[in-house]
Amino acid sequence: QVQLVESGGGLVQPGGSLRLSCAASKSIFSINVMGWYRQAPGKERELVATITSVGRNYAEFVKGRFTIGRDVAKNTLYLQMNSLKPEDTAVYYCNAYDAIQHYWGQGTQVTVSS
């Protein structure tokens, strides 16, 4: 029963930046894994990044450009996206896994275009 709400998506030019937020309905301190996924039109949903209490993992296509982080006090997950490319255009979804099941947010649209 974890509710997730994403925000921060929008239109940005190539090379620009966006910061996505995911607000959780309860403390994220006890959530095992949180992450960001994305899905472009006609494509399958793919993992972008994950974070646990001990570390972070990134997909190869975002390494060096994106940073995942969380603010436990605010029950919020973040994704800082820099050097954005047109191929980053997708709906970005917040995910949480508590060892029982996965929870998903509604998604936020990110469009990178000139």
Side-chain angles (χ1 to χ4, degrees):
Q1 297 183 340
V2 179
Q3 295 183 10
L4 305 171
V5 180
E6 301 101 330
S7 63
L11 174 65
V12 65
Q13 296 183 42
S17 299
L18 282 175
R19 182 177 175 86
L20 306 183
S21 298
C22 171
S25 61
K26 69 175 185 179
S27 176
I28 62 175
F29 179 78
S30 61
I31 299 177
N32 299 76
V33 184
M34 296 193 74
W36 290 94
Y37 290 72
R38 71 185 188 186
Q39 186 168 21
K43 303 288 186 178
E44 295 185 357
R45 187 171 298 185
E46 61 185 354
L47 178 66
V48 175
T50 60
I51 186 169
T52 68
S53 62
V54 297
R56 306 166 181 174
N57 287 287
Y58 297 94
E60 289 295 328
F61 54 82
V62 303
K63 284 185 176 179
R65 300 190 298 122
F66 292 8
T67 302
I68 188 171
R70 61 182 179 180
D71 187 330
V72 176
K74 296 181 178 179
N75 293 340
T76 301
L77 179 73
Y78 300 100
L79 183 67
Q80 178 65 47
M81 305 184 293
N82 300 323
S83 302
L84 284 162
K85 306 174 181 178
E87 52 263 43
D88 293 319
T89 296
V91 177
Y92 284 71
Y93 297 91
C94 179
N95 172 264
Y97 177 65
D98 63 3
I100 298 175
Q101 66 182 97
H102 286 270
Y103 301 90
W104 296 91
Q106 82 288 350
T108 184
Q109 176 70 50
V110 172
T111 302
V112 185
S113 176
S114 298

